[in-house]
């Protein structure tokens, strides 16, 4: 079994595109939330989301034809290109696998076709949009962009899909089935997703305030994210910069409720992830929470953290306070932030803080301002509809040990 490290990062997000812009935005506590422009929101009471306003795929990708792919697939391809360039790898070839996660794939195409049938009556599906619909194209777009001709797979495990992708890629590299793997996720803001969460009563009015007394919900978001994973010996052999080591991961299924999280299952997932990573709770320096900003999620997640960590709870923060909830890409963004925290010695903040929730006593949410800190082990949480839980544990680069 090989030790697995992260050598490339590729975020395409509402707060920044590329490693340096993304890192600076996280450290500054920048918000990527604005009024939705990708569809008409005049009929919705809640109108905010985390859109990638300045996304120009033609300026980021170098191989795929942008006209042949949907927005979500182009997010995946652009993120893979950024990660490959950041890792200094020109071509992945047969040794490279691509693993992507998503919640809704190219859902905006389904919305467009459905709307046309609603207004104009039944008709044949639009040929171009139909060709771009299969969710497996997310991984395919990324693979074609970076020349990876090994395994390509897309996971659809809702909002935990990014961590599912990371875990699967970790297994491929650790076992030697793949010399390299690109893992991440992608999703797009759409009328369907926005309306669904609106009907659930889960959307915030103007800002996402995870773990805050005044929190009133989540905000949908979009983007693409990719991380390059390779064996430690390969990375050291080519003199690569190493951001972090992937220590392990775990997954559980609540089998409890279609959407509500379940404390016992999250506790079990956390303990399993730590055990498989060879880490004890007292060694964890930071937890990047799922932290959606809904009352139920934050309460359940906080309770699970307290049960595992007892009287020594490490700092906990949520990127969704800045990005919104990027669905299948969300935990990929968290992994990037965790790798940067390890590599550059800081803890990301939870912005939009107003007042501490007394029911979440004992949780340090790193309010509003990033914290300079020596970080050696981090835990990244992801929980999705259907009871899907996936937790990844990262550690400091071996060269820094």
């Amino acid at each position: 079994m090989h030790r697995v490290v992260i050598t490339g990062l590729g975020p395409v997000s509402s707060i920044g595109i590329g490693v340096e812009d993304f890192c600076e935005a996280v450290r500054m506590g920048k918000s990527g939330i604005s009024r939705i422009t990708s569809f008409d929101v005049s009929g919705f009471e809640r109108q905010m989301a985390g859109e990638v306003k300045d996304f120009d795929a033609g300026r980021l990708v170098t191989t795929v034809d942008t006209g042949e792919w949907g927005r979500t697939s182009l997010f995946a391809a652009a993120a893979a290109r950024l990660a490959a360039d950041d890792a200094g790898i020109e071509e992945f070839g047969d040794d490279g696998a691509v693993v992507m996660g998503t919640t809704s794939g190219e859902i905006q195409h389904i919305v467009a076709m459905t709307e046309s049938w609603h207004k104009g009556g039944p008709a044949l599906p639009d040929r171009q949009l139909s060709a771009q619909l299969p969710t497996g194209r997310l991984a395919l777009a990324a693979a074609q962009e970076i020349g990876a001709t090994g395994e390509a797979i897309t996971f659809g495990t809702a909002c935990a899909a990014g961590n599912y992708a990371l875990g699967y890629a970790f297994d491929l590299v650790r076992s030697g089935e793949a010399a390299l793997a690109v893992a991440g996720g992608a999703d797009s803001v759409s009328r369907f997703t926005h309306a669904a969460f609106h009907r659930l009563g889960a959307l915030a009015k103007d800002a996402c305030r995870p773990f805050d007394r005044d929190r009133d919900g989540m905000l949908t978001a979009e983007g693409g994210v990719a991380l390059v994973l390779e064996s430690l010996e390969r990375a050291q052999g080519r003199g690569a910069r190493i951001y972090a080591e992937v220590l392990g991961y775990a997954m559980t299924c609540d089998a409890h409720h279609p959407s509500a999280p379940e404390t016992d299952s999250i506790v079990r997932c956390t303990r399993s992830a730590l055990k498989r990573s060879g880490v004890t709770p007292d060694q964890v320096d930071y937890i990047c929470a799922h932290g959606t900003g809904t009352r139920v999620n934050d309460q359940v997640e906080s309770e699970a953290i307290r049960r595992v960590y007892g009287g020594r709870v490490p700092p906990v923060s949520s990127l969704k306070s800045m990005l919104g909830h990027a669905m299948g890409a969300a935990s990929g963004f968290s992994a990037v932030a965790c790798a940067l925290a390890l590599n550059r010695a800081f803890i990301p903040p939870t912005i939009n803080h107003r007042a501490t929730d007394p029911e979440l006593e004992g949780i340090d949410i790193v309010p509003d301002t990033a914290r300079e800190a020596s970080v050696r082990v981090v835990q990244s949480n992801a929980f999705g509809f259907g009871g899907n839980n996936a937790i990844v544990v990262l550690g400091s680069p071996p060269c820094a040990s």
Side-chain angles (χ1 to χ4, degrees):
M1 292 292 180
H2 302 281
R3 293 173 69 180
V4 180
V5 295
I6 297 169
T7 57
L9 305 174
V12 180
S13 79
S14 62
I15 62 171
I17 295 175
V19 176
E20 296 308 322
D21 284 352
F22 182 82
C23 184
E24 181 181 4
V26 170
R27 296 188 84 143
M28 290 175 59
K30 178 180 177 181
S31 173
I33 303 303
S34 60
R35 189 175 187 272
I36 294 170
T37 60
S38 56
F39 61 90
D40 181 11
V41 291
S42 59
F44 290 97
E45 180 184 359
R46 305 294 167 96
Q47 302 180 348
M48 309 294 280
E51 292 181 310
V52 184
K53 301 290 189 183
D54 52 354
F55 179 61
D56 182 354
R59 297 180 60 183
L60 296 172
V61 299
T62 61
T63 304
V64 299
D65 182 347
T66 58
E68 295 181 358
W69 303 88
R71 182 175 177 85
T72 309
S73 296
L74 289 172
F75 277 143
R81 169 53 59 200
L82 289 171
D85 289 350
D86 187 50
I89 300 173
E90 294 184 4
E91 185 111 347
F92 284 72
D94 296 343
D95 291 334
V98 174
V99 191
M100 284 286 159
T102 192
T103 295
S104 304
E106 300 290 3
I107 186 67
Q108 69 278 11
H109 288 350
I110 297 177
V111 172
M113 288 191 288
T114 304
E115 186 173 20
S116 70
W117 296 333
H118 175 70
K119 292 179 177 179
L124 290 174
D126 182 279
R127 183 183 297 272
Q128 183 178 10
L129 295 186
S130 298
Q132 295 177 5
L133 274 180
T135 304
R137 284 171 59 86
L138 271 65
L140 180 60
Q144 286 192 9
E145 173 61 28
I146 61 175
T149 51
E151 183 173 358
I153 185 170
T154 304
F155 284 103
T157 44
C159 303
N163 268 1
Y164 269 73
L166 280 168
Y168 188 76
F170 168 74
D171 283 343
L172 289 176
V173 176
R174 182 177 60 166
S175 66
E177 291 184 53
L180 293 161
V182 170
D187 263 300
S188 297
V189 165
S190 75
R191 184 195 303 262
F192 176 89
T193 307
H194 186 81
F197 282 103
H198 205 295
R199 287 293 297 271
L200 286 171
L203 291 182
K205 181 180 179 180
D206 55 3
C208 179
R209 309 180 193 281
F211 307 109
D212 196 85
R213 184 195 64 191
D214 299 327
R215 66 190 185 278
D216 62 344
M218 56 164 283
L219 291 169
T220 61
E222 66 181 4
V225 60
L227 300 90
V228 174
L229 279 62
E230 59 185 299
S231 68
L232 174 61
E233 57 267 34
R234 187 185 189 283
Q236 290 178 331
R238 68 182 187 89
R241 173 195 49 231
I242 298 174
Y243 286 103
E245 180 175 6
V246 184
L247 300 178
Y249 74 98
M251 301 168 182
T252 59
C253 181
D254 298 347
H256 168 70
H257 188 276
S259 60
E262 201 264 334
T263 306
D264 290 343
S265 184
I266 294 173
V267 168
R268 181 162 54 92
C269 190
T270 304
R271 288 174 173 160
S272 180
L274 296 179
K275 182 178 180 180
R276 293 179 181 183
S277 303
V279 169
T280 55
D282 62 289
Q283 293 176 302
V284 177
D285 299 309
Y286 166 58
I287 298 173
C288 192
H290 187 60
T292 62
T294 64
R295 303 207 71 80
V296 172
N297 177 89
D298 292 0
Q299 191 164 12
V300 168
E301 186 169 17
S302 297
E303 176 59 25
I305 290 171
R306 285 190 295 237
R307 280 175 53 181
V308 172
Y309 286 90
R312 186 210 166 269
V313 176
V316 178
S317 69
S318 172
L319 283 187
K320 293 180 181 68
S321 61
M322 296 177 247
L323 292 166
H325 194 336
M327 307 295 156
S331 51
F333 286 129
S334 293
V336 170
C338 286
L340 290 169
L342 289 160
N343 185 257
R344 303 189 183 184
F346 76 99
I347 296 176
T350 304
I351 67 169
N352 304 319
H353 178 66
R354 285 180 175 174
T356 301
D357 187 340
E359 293 184 2
L360 308 184
E361 184 179 355
I363 304 293
D364 171 12
I365 66 167
V366 194
D368 293 322
T369 305
R371 187 176 301 165
E372 301 300 314
S374 177
V375 182
R376 300 187 63 79
V377 178
V378 300
Q379 170 186 322
S380 179
N381 291 350
F383 316 132
F385 280 8
N388 295 297
N389 304 312
I391 293 176
V392 173
V393 180
L394 305 181
S396 296
C399 58
S401 299

